[in-house]
Amino acid sequence: MSEQVTVTLPDGSQKQARKGMRVGEFVREFIGQGLAKAAIHARLDDQDVDLSRPIERDSRLKVYTTKSAEALEVANHDAAHIVADAVQRLFPGTQVTIGPTVEEGFYYDFFRETPFTPEDLEKIEALANEIVAKDLPFERREVSAEEATRLFESKGEKFKVEIIRDVVSKGAKTLTLYKHGDWTDFCLGPHGPSTGKVGVIKLLSSSGAYWRGDHRNPMLQRIYGISFFDKKALAEWLHRQEEAKKRDHRKLGRELDLFQFHPWAPGAAFWSAKGTSLYQTLSAYMRQLCLGNGYVEVKTPLLFNKGLWEKSGHWGKYKENMFLVLDSETGEHDFSLKPMNCPSHHVLYGFKKHSYRDLPVRYQTQDVLHRNEASGTLGGLTRVRQFAQDDAHIYCTEAQIPEEVRRFVHLLDRVYKAVGLQYTSKFSTRPANRLGDDELWDRAEASLKAALDSSGLAYETKPGEGAFYGPKIDFDVSDSIGRKWQLGTIQLDHVAPERFDLSYVGEDNAEHRPVVLHRAIYGSFERFIAILIEHFAGAFPAWLAPVQAVVVTVADRHLEYGARVREELRARGFRAELDERGMTLNAKIREAQVQKLPFTLVVGDKEAESGSVAPRRYGGEDLKSMKLEAFIELLSKEAAWP
RNA sequence: GCCGGUGUAGCUCAGUCGGUAGAGCAACUGAUUUGUAAUCAGUAGGUCGCGGGUUCGAGUCCCGCCGCCGGCCCCA
């Protein structure tokens, strides 16, 4: 009689199994055929394992089937191996490096001279799916570092050997190899039971990527792909991709006539009248919220002598990201467009002596900033060279930090709710590389944490991810189709006040050092607008819409009345247009819908006689004829700032 | 910056083997005056991203540059 172990399942039930029994066998024997068939991998206590892993002691067991996101991730990792196998068969001499999964799918980086062409990808995808069809089992094997090194050295896999050396230097004793067919990779696992379970592999793109992300290292050829357990899931994913494409802010920006780019100003947008309206609405809204929350608005220069950047420390580290300007008197590039507002705010603060009674001092600014981003990183409105932040710096005492953070979170919550963005927060603590002693960091982290805890906000702690000058809280939003974006931030800075020798006079009549809080809610207007365009798919709520209502006439004889309606709306402060083109009513309504305007006001004989409009909402809801005053009341409510 | 892809009318796109550039929509003109998602007809619109080269001849082939798109942290 062999030894028994107790296996505890997620529902709390316990089974007695033979010691050394494989997870897969256990599932088949104790749970059922169906689950055994659908199983991809399992979690044994706190470790993700293959189904072939023997159960050696009393454990908790959770099985992941093709229905779970965890299993899909494992299958995508299987797919990465399969693709690498296919690549090495089709292109002998290609070296493998790493092939992890990403949020959506996986990639594998290869080292070879020539990049993959789109035709190569087709061939690789076809062969990869053949390997899937062969349903080859994945086999796990534990080996010594020496054996693994010998294996990959014999194959000429220099990158794998380097990875093995690294892993060993970090203390790993036994290494694991995963094999399917006759292809072996050095891999932590887990993997699914066989290639057949992967389902279907789709290759998406290829691109260059530096070994370990460092441009001094060799360039690798990366292949991105994604796998699904069945073709239907792939089709659905492809469909979702198409839908996301329709929301692309670059496409909608052109179609809705919001902004454009020109080769003469890479990374800097031309805002049309409509785009400018959107920009200005967001700007005015934020300005008003801040002014209502004790901020004062200030403006500082756009162009600075390098002295400021030497003082702030940016001249050394950040110089290559700044646009330097030639001073024709000295012939030197001693001036720079500001890439951020903070240093100039510090200068402004330092202009006068502050009393403790003045604190907190809250400066807000929406000045234009320039950052010389590498040309290859530019894209749409989300990565630009010229932009404006809803920037503010709060100068306060350490004791005031929790209250300031609490107020900020409150403000941010209001703004994100106003546009319907869900958000989560992250608290980042002291990094390895930092300025300031531990006692200072202890206090700084404690005050941010206290503020977060009292706000009732759920947050994730990111140890070591704070800025070198202080801990921070970041806010990630999810848009209407679930994409995540990092937007708001509040960062504590106890270095800048030192550098700029900032002070206030305390109750004790002595000089004290304030702390600085850097904070933003939109992040940058440009990026925030991009996110809103995609979030609303271009159909903005009335308070944001560049055109809130367009008047369309049934016939030309109503144009005069239509113009009166437009003028009345404008006189009441609304953004209204009249479509005077000689098109049919249907054509003008269609145009207004395509432009996603909140209200289309139809006017004909009936309306002209009774002083009415017949509003139609975006989407088609017909509100029937109503007095113009009644519509103005409706619009006043819907267009009110939230 | 680096790797790959890409660039034809305002927009979306076609253009075969290298033989002198085309459609739909938009714009403009005219006719029509329509009650909730495209009325009809006509007109105009192009240094085929820019610059070189090959050729009798280049949107098409070659080279360089620029812009745009996808990537360049996810460490077996």
Side-chain angles (χ1 to χ4, degrees):
Chain A
M1 187 68 192
S2 58
E3 271 183 80
Q4 298 283 300
V5 291
T6 306
V7 177
T8 309
L9 298 174
D11 64 2
S13 65
Q14 297 193 321
K15 311 277 185 198
Q16 297 299 314
R18 294 184 304 282
K19 182 172 182 230
M21 190 178 198
R22 288 169 192 280
V23 171
E25 291 165 2
F26 171 86
V27 173
R28 201 173 307 113
E29 199 167 308
F30 289 91
I31 308 181
Q33 270 307 327
L35 187 71
K37 234 181 202 161
I40 296 296
H41 73 292
R43 176 165 290 186
L44 204 53
D45 288 333
D46 293 319
Q47 201 189 1
D48 285 324
V49 298
D50 309 284
L51 297 177
S52 61
R53 184 69 69 90
I55 306 173
E56 299 288 6
R57 56 176 177 276
D58 293 352
S59 322
R60 281 170 290 120
L61 178 71
K62 180 169 164 55
V63 179
Y64 291 99
T65 70
T66 54
K67 292 219 166 32
S68 72
E70 289 86 348
L72 186 59
E73 192 179 336
V74 167
N76 267 292
H77 193 194
D78 294 351
H81 280 221
I82 293 166
V83 167
D85 177 10
V87 165
Q88 291 201 309
R89 279 207 247 165
L90 289 169
F91 305 95
T94 300
Q95 292 185 48
V96 289
T97 68
I98 59 166
T101 57
V102 288
E103 309 93 74
E104 294 224 295
F106 63 89
Y107 68 79
Y108 211 115
D109 283 346
F110 301 94
F111 181 69
R112 71 192 293 256
E113 288 304 314
T114 42
F116 297 106
T117 64
E119 294 73 40
D120 292 341
L121 289 192
E122 279 175 36
K123 281 185 213 146
I124 296 163
E125 182 178 298
L127 182 54
N129 281 302
E130 276 176 40
I131 297 168
V132 170
K134 282 186 186 151
D135 198 19
L136 306 166
F138 281 101
E139 291 160 32
R140 177 178 187 272
R141 192 154 68 90
E142 293 188 4
V143 294
S144 65
E146 293 71 37
E147 187 181 347
T149 306
R150 234 180 299 121
L151 175 69
F152 287 102
E153 258 172 5
S154 74
K155 294 183 178 188
E157 297 283 7
K158 302 202 176 80
F159 292 87
K160 280 291 176 197
V161 173
E162 184 180 328
I163 295 164
I164 291 167
R165 201 182 311 128
D166 277 10
V167 169
V168 170
S169 77
K170 280 182 196 160
K173 293 278 182 300
T174 28
L175 309 182
T176 53
L177 301 179
Y178 276 87
K179 182 173 180 232
H180 69 266
D182 50 16
W183 191 83
T184 303
D185 202 353
F186 170 52
C187 175
L188 195 56
H191 280 279
S194 66
T195 61
K197 297 281 189 203
V198 169
V200 54
I201 295 173
K202 169 91 184 156
L203 297 189
L204 301 171
S205 63
S206 64
S207 68
Y210 298 104
W211 169 235
R212 297 187 160 163
D214 191 326
H215 69 276
R216 289 164 299 195
N217 287 339
M219 167 84 55
L220 307 174
Q221 301 303 328
R222 175 170 298 183
I223 293 178
Y224 278 93
I226 191 164
S227 77
F228 291 96
F229 290 121
D230 57 70
K231 287 197 170 136
K232 190 164 154 257
L234 171 61
E236 282 166 9
W237 183 81
L238 289 170
H239 179 71
R240 277 204 308 281
Q241 294 298 108
E242 287 302 309
E243 289 303 305
K245 245 186 182 166
K246 287 184 194 159
R247 290 173 174 257
D248 190 312
H249 74 277
R250 292 167 296 202
K251 180 174 147 70
L252 285 169
R254 196 170 46 239
E255 289 172 357
L256 304 182
D257 189 21
L258 299 171
F259 61 87
Q260 291 267 267
F261 287 89
H262 191 280
W264 287 338
F270 286 71
W271 294 91
S272 69
K274 287 181 187 171
T276 302
S277 165
L278 187 55
Y279 204 118
Q280 290 298 348
T281 302
L282 287 166
S283 161
Y285 178 62
M286 182 57 72
R287 178 173 287 126
Q288 180 222 248
L289 282 182
C290 286
L291 291 176
N293 274 275
Y295 290 76
V296 292
E297 182 167 6
V298 298
K299 290 183 81 67
T300 57
L302 303 184
L303 189 60
F304 284 95
N305 183 275
K306 69 178 178 187
L308 178 72
W309 312 115
E310 284 167 349
K311 185 83 170 171
S312 70
H314 289 103
W315 196 252
K317 289 175 212 144
Y318 201 74
K319 192 175 167 189
E320 56 192 43
N321 279 307
M322 291 202 276
F323 282 103
L324 303 185
V325 175
L326 179 72
D327 180 345
S328 58
E329 273 185 28
T330 63
E332 299 290 327
H333 286 85
D334 279 355
F335 281 80
S336 150
L337 291 168
K338 67 177 169 187
M340 57 195 64
N341 294 305
C342 0
S344 62
H345 278 182
H346 304 333
V347 172
L348 187 66
Y349 178 92
F351 275 144
K352 64 174 194 179
K353 220 173 172 76
H354 291 270
S355 153
Y356 72 95
R357 295 171 194 274
D358 301 338
L359 302 187
V361 168
R362 307 184 188 92
Y363 287 155
Q364 65 154 322
T365 288
Q366 297 182 0
D367 282 349
V368 172
L369 305 174
H370 288 84
R371 292 183 188 175
N372 197 358
E373 303 288 351
S375 56
T377 63
L378 301 176
L381 284 178
T382 55
R383 200 70 191 270
V384 287
R385 285 178 173 156
Q386 181 194 305
F387 59 99
Q389 295 178 323
D390 62 316
D391 205 3
H393 296 94
I394 300 169
Y395 301 83
C396 63
T397 68
E398 277 195 28
Q400 289 170 329
I401 294 169
E403 172 63 6
E404 287 308 305
V405 174
R406 194 195 59 76
R407 291 172 66 115
F408 172 73
V409 170
H410 185 72
L411 198 60
L412 173 135
D413 182 71
R414 176 162 174 193
V415 173
Y416 291 173
K417 282 212 174 103
V419 290
L421 289 168
Q422 306 275 321
Y423 66 95
T424 57
S425 54
K426 289 182 307 208
F427 173 42
S428 299
T429 60
R430 69 192 79 185
N433 229 331
R434 59 178 181 265
L435 289 177
D437 57 41
D438 283 352
E439 198 205 333
L440 189 63
W441 278 90
D442 286 342
R443 290 202 307 273
E445 287 173 4
S447 56
L448 280 199
K449 189 172 181 326
L452 260 181
D453 288 334
S454 76
S455 73
L457 216 60
Y459 63 91
E460 187 189 347
T461 302
K462 295 266 182 186
E465 297 209 358
F468 71 88
Y469 50 76
K472 60 174 183 171
I473 304 168
D474 290 313
F475 298 84
D476 294 331
V477 305
S478 302
D479 67 16
S480 64
I481 51 171
R483 276 179 300 187
K484 293 212 182 320
W485 307 84
Q486 188 178 317
L487 283 189
T489 186
I490 182 163
Q491 312 191 354
L492 183 57
D493 186 347
H494 36 240
V495 171
E498 290 291 333
R499 279 184 180 269
F500 283 84
D501 193 24
L502 304 182
S503 65
Y504 65 90
V505 179
E507 247 174 309
D508 55 1
N509 196 31
E511 298 240 320
H512 298 274
R513 194 69 81 200
V515 295
V516 173
L517 289 164
H518 304 251
R519 43 112 297 173
I521 295 174
Y522 294 160
S524 88
F525 281 87
E526 281 71 8
R527 210 162 79 97
F528 193 66
I529 288 171
I531 291 163
L532 289 187
I533 290 171
E534 303 196 0
H535 175 62
F536 290 120
F540 298 107
W543 72 281
L544 282 172
V547 175
Q548 297 169 316
V550 63
V551 181
V552 301
T553 56
V554 172
D556 286 355
R557 65 177 179 278
H558 308 118
L559 279 173
E560 198 189 322
Y561 175 68
R564 287 222 306 278
V565 170
R566 178 190 60 191
E567 293 319 311
E568 180 61 22
L569 287 169
R570 286 183 175 172
R572 300 291 199 95
F574 297 110
R575 299 182 288 273
E577 299 290 344
L578 169 66
D579 191 338
E580 295 178 90
R581 293 174 298 177
M583 305 193 295
T584 59
L585 175 64
N586 276 340
K588 286 185 284 195
I589 286 174
R590 178 174 190 277
E591 181 72 7
Q593 296 296 306
V594 168
Q595 288 292 308
K596 309 192 183 203
L597 309 184
F599 291 101
T600 305
L601 307 178
V602 178
V603 299
D605 290 335
K606 221 165 58 184
E607 287 74 22
E609 275 165 32
S610 59
S612 305
V613 293
R616 174 198 162 108
R617 282 185 191 279
Y618 171 67
E621 189 194 350
D622 185 353
L623 299 181
K624 308 292 182 206
S625 269
M626 60 175 77
K627 292 283 188 201
L628 179 56
E629 274 309 312
F631 174 70
I632 286 174
E633 200 178 313
L634 172 71
L635 184 55
S636 302
K637 272 186 202 145
E638 297 208 7
W641 284 356

